[in-house]
Amino acid sequence: MQQDRARLNEQLRDASYLLAVQRLPGSIARELDDENPVIPLGIDIDQDVATAALLSWSEQDSGYEPGLWTASIKQQEGDWVPYGLAGGLPPSDHPLADRRSCSREGLHIRLYMGPNLEHGLGRRPGPAWLSAALQVTAEVDSIRVGDRVLEVPFHGYVPIAVRNLENAVVTAFSDGSQLDTLDLRRGAHDLYRELRRRDPDGWPFKVRRGP
């Protein structure tokens, strides 16, 4: 498949802008193709900052493969401005599949991007904020970030934007009962080390194939 990295970056920014303005559409494609080079997975907005999660192509040694992406977005002069892209990690399933059940150790929240401290745009960007993205299991029906409750899509990928770092604690629930929690303030190094300890054979350390 022939791809143009600059064109794909433009498509990622365009898709993240549409998510910020229009939110997630009622239905999405499950597989990347020529008509769907970018699939929107979700958007989280906290005051004047947002994180978008997207599925698109990622350039690898073997060529272009499906990859998970996030876009950092900041509100500026009344409009949303995507200014940062990060990604390339293979999705747990492609085509997109329904969330899988918890496999071991009560691990219901899996971090796949970040957490990153964002500083926004311009020479005077303002206070730092936090951007991350997670995948949750089939048992989870909602997650809470600070005092905000977020819905969980069928694929389980959930972007996170936190303006006030004191609110950067994610809690997963099922029918009102707490299943798991993740304190994003601990930083990526500690969180991924704990994730590997709890499930050393799981994604994102090993890509899962098939059902």
Side-chain angles (χ1 to χ4, degrees):
M1 168 180 276
Q2 295 293 324
Q3 293 289 345
D4 182 313
R5 182 70 266 165
R7 175 59 177 158
L8 285 175
N9 285 346
E10 180 183 353
Q11 291 170 333
L12 283 165
R13 291 188 179 91
D14 289 347
S16 62
Y17 175 79
L18 287 176
L19 277 171
V21 174
Q22 301 177 359
R23 308 300 191 267
L24 190 67
S27 62
I28 61 171
R30 289 187 178 232
E31 186 172 7
L32 295 170
D33 54 30
D34 290 342
E35 293 185 0
N36 298 282
V38 178
I39 298 174
L41 300 177
I43 182 85
D44 184 34
I45 298 175
D46 189 7
Q47 300 179 46
D48 62 338
V49 297
T51 302
L54 311 114
L55 179 68
S56 186
W57 298 105
S58 175
E59 189 173 7
Q60 307 293 331
D61 292 340
S62 58
Y64 280 90
E65 300 288 343
L68 298 166
W69 294 85
T70 59
S72 304
I73 312 169
K74 180 75 168 62
Q75 197 170 48
Q76 189 175 58
E77 297 180 356
D79 199 7
W80 291 100
V81 181
Y83 69 88
L85 295 173
L89 183 71
S92 56
D93 294 287
H94 185 263
L96 291 172
D98 292 345
R99 289 172 284 146
R100 302 185 185 211
S101 299
C102 179
S103 58
R104 60 188 293 176
E105 298 295 332
L107 187 63
H108 293 280
I109 305 174
R110 193 176 291 277
L111 184 67
Y112 85 78
M113 199 78 70
N116 297 315
L117 276 180
E118 302 285 350
H119 297 280
L121 297 160
R123 296 180 179 178
R124 302 175 65 183
W129 61 283
L130 187 143
S131 175
L134 322 167
Q135 189 183 32
V136 299
T137 63
E139 294 83 1
V140 179
D141 56 30
S142 65
I143 64 174
R144 187 177 67 209
V145 184
D147 59 359
R148 298 182 298 121
V149 177
L150 309 181
E151 295 181 357
V152 178
F154 75 88
H155 47 69
Y157 297 112
V158 183
I160 303 294
V162 183
R163 166 47 86 189
N164 184 343
L165 301 185
E166 294 182 358
N167 295 327
V169 178
V170 179
T171 307
F173 293 92
S174 176
D175 294 327
S177 298
Q178 180 174 323
L179 296 176
D180 203 356
T181 187
L182 193 68
D183 187 345
L184 298 175
R185 297 170 299 184
R186 293 175 54 195
H189 177 77
D190 286 349
L191 290 173
Y192 282 109
R193 184 172 59 183
E194 179 181 345
L195 186 61
R196 184 182 288 275
R197 178 186 62 78
R198 292 177 66 184
D199 190 1
D201 297 323
W203 179 89
F205 307 113
K206 295 183 180 178
V207 179
R208 300 181 299 191
R209 304 291 186 187

